[in-house]
Amino acid sequence: MLVAAAVCPCPPLLVPEVAAGAAPELDAARAACSDALGVLAAARPDLLLVVGTAEPGGRGPFPQGTPGTFRGFGVDVDVRLGTATGAAPERRLPASLAVGAWLLERTGWADAPVEGLGVADTLEPERCAETGRELAGRAGRVALLVMGDASACRTVKAPGYLDERAAPFDAEAARALGAADVAALRALDPALARELKAAGRAPWQILAGAAHDTRLTGTLLYEDAPYGVGYLVATWS
């Protein structure tokens, strides 16, 4: 059963070494993510699952101890998903899960075993719901760390340039996440989300599936669009 969730953005820029001189610009987002992870710890889960989008080679489950790296971004920073288990994982974490692992390391997570799941940003809403229900049934008390950005089309300098539909899309996503509105998250249009480069849509809809038949309440901790990309932090508990 899902007992808590934290929704965080997943730009590698959250890692100060990657952001370099621009690191202070995301200090508020990092602080909000730390607060969100505190809510997960307070829920005393039996299992924490980190969910984020990934390219084909990074999809599927990742066991505890899987390594990740930010060397591809020009910095000597490595991470690991939870504590090492002694096994030799076959793959490295995709970027979204590596950012999640970095957040967990930063807050000293040691409250429950951790596993990861990389999914396609094109995953259909019905399959998202099924995946969420499957994840919620993994243990008696399950927590989710849901990694995903909102639209990348908020300004002319954004990765996807300016799209007038982006701000309303992000506002509805922020409202739904802050209110733990499962129905509204399920209703997000996958085609529109893809056009707006909102990689968080599938993970958010997985969360909605996991929260089916729960009475969790939500809190929106952070909402901004630095660099023209929507970043949201919320908690469900």
Side-chain angles (χ1 to χ4, degrees):
M1 176 180 177
L2 183 71
V3 296
V7 176
C8 294
C10 59
L13 288 173
L14 276 180
V15 180
E17 291 87 345
V18 175
E25 296 176 14
L26 291 180
D27 280 348
R30 294 185 192 96
C33 290
S34 295
D35 291 343
L37 292 185
V39 171
L40 297 186
R44 293 171 297 152
D46 301 318
L47 175 66
L48 173 62
L49 296 165
V50 186
V51 181
T53 56
E55 296 299 320
R59 294 172 190 167
F62 290 86
Q64 178 165 309
T66 301
T69 185
F70 295 98
R71 294 174 188 264
F73 298 94
V75 297
D76 187 16
V77 177
D78 298 321
V79 295
R80 189 176 298 278
L81 188 65
T83 57
T85 62
E90 298 178 358
R91 302 184 294 164
R92 289 188 178 273
L93 298 170
S96 64
L97 301 188
V99 174
W102 178 82
L103 289 172
L104 292 169
E105 287 188 357
R106 182 172 181 261
T107 55
W109 179 269
D111 299 274
V114 185
E115 297 177 16
L117 178 66
V119 300
D121 64 359
T122 56
L123 197 65
E124 291 297 325
E126 295 79 7
R127 184 56 187 145
C128 289
E130 293 172 6
T131 300
R133 290 192 292 270
E134 292 167 1
L135 295 182
R138 289 285 311 281
R141 297 179 64 83
V142 172
L144 291 182
L145 174 53
V146 181
M147 307 299 298
D149 300 340
S151 71
C153 302
R154 292 284 293 273
T155 69
V156 294
K157 293 184 178 181
Y161 195 67
L162 175 64
D163 190 313
E164 299 295 344
R165 302 171 296 173
F169 178 92
D170 287 1
E172 173 58 12
R175 187 206 63 77
L177 290 169
D181 189 337
V182 169
L185 289 176
R186 287 176 176 169
L188 292 175
D189 183 347
L192 176 60
R194 187 160 180 79
E195 290 174 12
L196 297 177
K197 303 183 183 301
R201 190 275 308 170
W204 299 338
Q205 290 185 327
I206 289 172
L207 167 59
H212 179 68
D213 284 342
T214 67
R215 296 184 178 180
L216 301 181
T217 59
T219 302
L220 186 66
L221 302 181
Y222 178 86
E223 178 185 6
D224 201 359
Y227 319 117
V229 181
Y231 296 154
L232 304 171
V233 180
T235 59
W236 292 20
S237 62

